[in-house]
Amino acid sequence: MSPFAEPEHPSITTSDENWDWDGDIPELTAEELATMRPAREALPPDVFAALPSRSGQPEATPHQELVTLRLDSEVVEAFRATGPGWETRINSILALAIRPLARNLDVRRRSSSGRSDKRVN
């Protein structure tokens, strides 16, 4: 048996004549690369919206702020062990943790100003 396995088809819909069995498909030239556009621009909006997201990190919402934070190494290791999105999970847990603090700040602000329109959410 040969140590080199024959490459598999990328999908069941790829025919033998459309599959590059011998690796002779040339690389794209600089001119060809220059004519390419991002999928967001080249595809109809409904088709692009149906594509799965390829990014590993969720898009930041407008109210998020990039910060540098020092955490205990065991905290970071535990969250990283949960897989992709671990930073988002830290944010969710911190958001839950500040709710009591936010309520206390809200009460103090109302009592010191006499107004209730300065809420911390």
Side-chain angles (χ1 to χ4, degrees), residues 28-92:
L28 295 173
T29 65
E31 294 82 23
E32 290 170 324
L33 287 171
T35 64
M36 293 187 163
R37 296 181 296 155
R40 182 181 304 278
E41 295 174 13
L43 297 173
D46 56 329
V47 173
F48 182 77
L51 295 174
S53 173
R54 300 277 186 217
S55 65
Q57 183 175 8
E59 215 172 283
T61 56
H63 65 277
Q64 289 184 329
E65 183 178 338
L66 181 62
V67 298
T68 300
L69 180 66
R70 293 189 183 274
L71 300 171
D72 292 342
S73 58
E74 58 264 8
V75 171
V76 175
E77 288 172 17
F79 275 97
R80 278 192 177 141
T82 65
W86 63 273
E87 295 99 335
T88 303
R89 283 187 284 284
I90 290 175
N91 185 69
S92 298

